[in-house]
Amino acid sequence: MRKLVPFIILFAAVTLTSAAQDLSTYRRALQQPDSIWGAKVLVCEATDVASQFSALAAKPKQGEIYGYRIEIFTENGQSARAAAFATCEAFSEQYPDVPAKVSYDKLYWKVTVGQCASAEEAIALWGQIKQQYPKAFLARETIEIENLNK
């Protein structure tokens, strides 16, 4: 039974973490007494830490804005890396004035193109390339300000 207790605690922590949608929900869940021993967790924090942390997390870095790019390729297979670079090169040959970038994010190789400050600008770009790339879609990303005019 003693060997099972850490697994139960770990399962409860994972369940609480996945069920919590924000910090206050998570804090309330931790303060509920444990059903077996009645243990509680007391969370103490400075009054404005949570609000400052949320504001900082939502704020882009200096010199960046939230903008749009068009994602034309997403794949996670064995040859995804090579296919991503080939797609990026082919796009750059077709559209030399539109910036293209290959990135690796959460197990997926992606190719995104354009540097659009507004959704309207991104939709116009998408309209130009959707014939060659029918699976393309708008993706919201942070874009460096100095790259917007390129």
Side-chain angles (χ1 to χ4, degrees):
M1 179 66 180
R2 288 189 183 263
K3 291 182 181 180
L4 189 60
V5 170
F7 293 111
I8 293 172
I9 292 173
L10 179 64
F11 178 74
V14 169
T15 304
L16 289 175
T17 303
S18 64
Q21 293 182 5
D22 63 355
L23 187 58
S24 61
T25 305
Y26 183 65
R27 191 178 311 118
R28 281 193 304 271
L30 285 175
Q31 292 175 350
Q32 295 300 317
D34 179 48
S35 62
I36 299 172
W37 289 288
K40 290 193 237 180
V41 175
L42 178 62
V43 178
C44 299
E45 65 182 31
T47 56
D48 59 343
V49 170
S51 61
Q52 287 180 359
F53 182 75
S54 297
L56 183 62
K59 184 178 177 182
K61 297 177 194 171
Q62 293 295 333
E64 292 182 344
I65 63 166
Y66 288 112
Y68 296 89
R69 296 175 64 85
I70 310 299
E71 193 166 310
I72 62 171
F73 176 88
T74 303
E75 196 174 305
N76 69 345
Q78 287 182 342
S79 60
R81 182 179 186 267
F85 281 101
T87 302
C88 185
E89 187 175 325
F91 181 86
S92 294
E93 288 175 7
Q94 283 182 312
Y95 302 94
D97 296 337
V98 180
K101 131 179 141 169
V102 176
S103 60
Y104 183 74
D105 184 35
K106 298 177 186 166
L107 302 177
Y108 284 89
W109 285 94
K110 299 178 182 183
V111 178
T112 54
V113 299
Q115 305 249 10
C116 306
S118 67
E120 293 81 12
E121 186 181 351
I123 290 169
L125 176 60
W126 175 74
Q128 293 174 4
I129 65 173
K130 69 180 177 179
Q131 294 298 324
Q132 292 86 10
Y133 301 95
K135 294 183 180 180
F137 61 92
L138 272 68
R140 182 143 179 155
E141 293 186 9
T142 55
I143 298 172
E144 294 178 9
I145 293 173
E146 62 265 10
N147 292 336
L148 281 177
N149 295 328
K150 295 182 181 178

